[in-house]
């Protein structure tokens, strides 16, 4: 089974609207971390937000928030007030306690923001 | 910018050749990881170096090897190149700490094309 599943190959949103990018994960570890990265066409992976498995509150970083539902093993990224510069690939990733510092990535979701 | 720099940005090789990719970590970071990102996929973990020793390896053959230097810069070497080695190679640096929340900071990658 895939460890990280992103079911949306592409998403479209209009500028200033909110958008949710889906991510589900699979692990048997009790301690793990979930990350979202943004990859623009330049190729660099840009860290957006982190959620620990023991964190009781959903993580927020500016316009980004993570909707963490542990029982459902989902970690959806919510981008509020989309901007044209948000157009990029978005990757969900997980680090398991048993996995040293390695990140396991999903296949990504391409987000296009239109004026 | 993350402070992680990679060189070269693009490289074209032929099958059977050898290649060396270079990475300069962010100042203060002691761990470097390499990832391979094939077209349309998420990054795949190759290996990680911590204090100049290999500290974890993904499902890649021995012809993928690496080095980490005392100044925490790093090299990825690939011998006997195959067509499937064509990909974006990403270097990520981090500061070893709590296992699950350790954040990786990525460079812009080296795009390798094998003909």
């Amino acid at each position: 089974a895939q460890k990280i599943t992103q079911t949306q190959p592409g998403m479209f949103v209009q500028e200033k609207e909110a958008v949710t990018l889906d991510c589900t994960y699979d692990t048997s570890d009790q301690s793990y971390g979930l990350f979202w990265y943004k990859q623009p066409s330049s190729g660099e992976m840009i860290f957006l937000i982190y959620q620990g498995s023991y964190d009781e509150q959903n993580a927020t970083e500016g316009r980004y928030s993570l909707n963490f539902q542990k029982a459902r093993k989902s970690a959806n990224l919510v981008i509020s007030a989309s901007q044209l510069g948000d157009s990029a690939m978005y990757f969900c990733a997980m680090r398991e306690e048993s996995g040293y510092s390695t990140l396991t990535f999903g296949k990504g979701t391409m987000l296009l923001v239109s004026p | 910018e993350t402070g992680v720099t990679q060189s070269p940005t693009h490289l074209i090789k032929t099958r059977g050749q050898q290649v060396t990719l270079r990475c300069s970590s962010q100042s203060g970071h002691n761990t470097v990881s390499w990832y391979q990102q094939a077209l349309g996929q998420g990054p795949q973990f190759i290996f990680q170096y911590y204090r100049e020793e290999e500290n974890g390896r993904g499902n890649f053959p021995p012809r993928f090897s690496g080095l980490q230097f005392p100044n925490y810069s790093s090299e990825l070497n690939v011998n006997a190149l195959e067509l499937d080695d064509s990909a974006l190679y990403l270097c990520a640096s981090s500061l070893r700490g709590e296992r699950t929340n350790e954040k990786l900071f990525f460079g812009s990658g080296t795009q390798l094309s094998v003909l």
Side-chain angles (χ1 to χ4, degrees):
Chain A
Q2 288 188 344
K3 290 204 171 187
I4 298 287
T5 303
Q6 295 181 253
T7 57
Q8 306 154 313
M11 291 284 286
F12 292 90
V13 66
Q14 278 202 313
E15 202 175 4
K16 300 180 184 177
E17 291 186 347
V19 62
T20 298
L21 306 184
D22 294 341
C23 172
T24 58
Y25 60 91
D26 183 30
T27 180
S28 56
D29 282 12
Q30 294 301 308
S31 177
Y32 51 89
L34 296 159
F35 300 77
W36 278 90
Y37 280 85
K38 171 185 178 182
Q39 187 177 42
S41 57
S42 62
E44 182 178 350
M45 300 285 282
I46 301 168
F47 167 76
L48 295 178
I49 196 166
Y50 163 81
Q51 179 85 42
S53 59
Y54 292 118
D55 294 341
E56 294 187 353
Q57 292 195 333
N58 287 341
T60 60
E61 292 279 355
R63 294 186 298 112
Y64 305 107
S65 60
L66 200 152
N67 184 1
F68 181 47
Q69 298 187 42
K70 193 170 182 177
R72 298 179 61 183
K73 293 190 174 180
S74 75
N76 298 338
L77 176 70
V78 181
I79 305 175
S80 63
S82 298
Q83 301 173 355
L84 296 179
D86 293 336
S87 294
M89 281 292 290
Y90 288 79
F91 290 94
C92 179
M94 175 173 65
R95 175 181 294 117
E96 297 166 282
E97 186 179 37
S98 59
Y100 292 98
S101 293
T102 66
L103 286 180
T104 301
F105 286 85
K107 292 188 175 182
T109 296
M110 170 63 79
L111 176 66
L112 291 177
V113 181
S114 60
Chain B
E1 290 199 0
T2 63
V4 179
T5 58
Q6 292 187 241
S7 62
T9 54
H10 295 83
L11 201 52
I12 300 174
K13 291 286 189 179
T14 56
R15 194 169 46 184
Q17 285 189 312
Q18 178 266 344
V19 68
T20 297
L21 310 182
R22 293 179 173 83
C23 173
S24 177
S25 299
Q26 182 168 321
S27 177
H29 284 181
N30 55 16
T31 304
V32 65
S33 306
W34 287 90
Y35 287 78
Q36 180 195 66
Q37 186 178 16
L39 191 63
Q41 302 293 318
Q44 298 286 319
F45 173 69
I46 303 175
F47 46 57
Q48 176 188 93
Y49 279 80
Y50 172 61
R51 292 184 176 176
E52 302 175 51
E53 291 194 359
E54 189 177 291
N55 187 236
R57 189 176 186 94
N59 189 25
F60 281 81
R63 59 189 185 85
F64 285 78
S65 63
L67 287 172
Q68 184 185 29
F69 300 101
N71 65 355
Y72 301 123
S73 63
S74 176
E75 287 182 356
L76 163 65
N77 299 289
V78 187
N79 294 322
L81 283 166
E82 300 177 0
L83 297 180
D84 285 349
D85 296 334
S86 295
L88 179 68
Y89 288 84
L90 294 164
C91 168
S93 75
S94 59
L95 181 62
R96 177 61 57 89
E98 292 277 335
R99 274 188 171 177
T100 58
N101 72 357
E102 185 177 317
K103 297 176 181 62
L104 299 188
F105 294 89
F106 286 83
S108 295
T110 294
Q111 184 65 55
L112 173 64
S113 299
V114 182
L115 306 178

